[in-house]
Amino acid sequence: MPKIIAINLNQPQEIKEINLTPEKMLNRECIVGRDRRCCVVLDDPLVSSLHGKIYFENGQYYYSDTSRNGSRINNKIAEPKQSYILRDRDTIQIGHYALMIQSLGEDSSVVTTENFSTSPNDYMPLAMIEPSSINHWNQGKLKVKCVQVIDETSDVKTFRFVAIPPVLFTYKPGQFISLDLQINGKEVSRCYSISSSPSRPHSLEITVKRIPDGLVSNWLHNNIKVGSEVQLSSLMGDFTFFAHPTQKLLLISAGSGITPMMSMARWICDTGSDIDVVFLHSTRTPDDIIFRRELELLAARHSNFHLAITTTKLESSQVWLGYKGRVNESMLISSVPDFGDRTIYVCGPEPFMQGIKTILEKLEFPMQNFFNESFGLSTQEKSQPEKITVSAPTSRPLQLTLSSMLSQLQPDLSKLEHTNGNRATLSPTTSSSQATVVFAKSGKEVIWDGEKSILELAEQENVTIRRGCGKGFCGACKQKLLSGNVEYKEEPRALQDSDRSVGLILTCIAEPVEKVVIDA
């Protein structure tokens, strides 16, 4: 059981003592390298991710170099992939580190580290860690590492992540997370539905379609490789059949709206559920079907999983035996005769979801069993969303008198024009157009145009505020309201009571009611 002293030759005071037990590890080997899951982690750019290994065979301990950068054994160059017997006081030099074999004697400890700021699980390969020792995660920020990139179609990739240190991901099928990224020197957040299933908790997957002018989707496609590290935020969203238990489901999706549906489908099939599922998906061409092979396999293996796919832009050279055209009444009735008995979840572009909703209403579907997803939010649409007014926190109770209420409701008489001698109308410049936003830290003030959110005004004035989903779901754009009142176009889902108590607002959906001051 080797006891190793690791010394950083650039910083001799940095000493790490490591006890290894390769004879108890997978393949009886301990990996040495820069990767955080290695048994011996050496943080040095000259060290490869998986640089070499110390392994146990026929009662002996050996070292083998598997890198391109090379190693030295007792100051002699080690030949690549050759085995070198280790003895007490041997030295292995890797990059700027020297590993001294202090002892090969008996030691009952199991991969322990002294003077390490992290636990053994931070650098051990996930497959070698007992499941019972892994923590669960479902809230807060988390550092994750990409372990696989899958090309689903020509413009869609799936990114598979594991946590550092490893955790078990706990979430509900259909929920979404927010990625916190650094792009061109700016902090950017975006929400993505989770396409993997919590029945496979050791990793988490998002599936991203490249959008021609999409900042984040293009960045992810161009930059995220195996080994890339990013940060994600808490789980969010209530678009999940867990919220509305049922025995019969109809999942309807279009394009990349398939991602939360795939999470639900995988969970149902993985857990052996007897829920009867019809999966109806709309896509442009057969080549654009995301998860096609897996969906067909699920339908072949699970008698309670029924698949129907329609293509809307089939090319003349393509052979397709499935449905063709956009989802309409006849297609819905043909593919799902008992749709009226099912709970329906819909996800896709807004016009697609509205079209499905219109069809169902015409067919007198019980709409209390209809749920649709819009960038991570389960919605049952309102014709005129109620606006919510929020004021900056004050140290004294807010008192509204009759006169103050009237002054807010009554238009400025100086802005009235008289026509025909007996009728008053508002001039083009109304009181709402005089609402202004002051960005305190930036020293900029801008008149509200009656349309833009506070975040859009900030971006117009080159004031830095983090942008996330743009819909009030992720909370990336939170800023403190120092004074004045703002209005929300819709319910600010990402604000907690603790946020509201200190005056935080969601700038992406907030509009000024009067002159407001923002801490930005």
Side-chain angles (χ1 to χ4, degrees), residues 357-411:
K357 183 172 183 285
T358 300
I359 291 172
L360 292 173
E361 288 176 334
K362 185 176 180 180
L363 294 174
E364 298 183 350
F365 177 80
M367 297 306 289
Q368 68 271 20
N369 297 328
F370 170 87
F371 304 92
N372 67 279
E373 174 80 328
S374 178
F375 292 96
L377 179 63
S378 177
T379 60
Q380 290 173 307
E381 298 177 24
K382 301 177 183 178
S383 56
Q384 292 185 347
E386 180 183 356
K387 288 195 172 184
I388 305 161
T389 303
V390 178
S391 303
T394 177
S395 57
R396 55 186 175 81
L398 183 63
Q399 296 180 343
L400 289 178
T401 63
L402 179 60
S403 60
S404 66
M405 292 174 65
L406 289 174
S407 67
Q408 292 182 26
L409 296 173
Q410 184 177 1

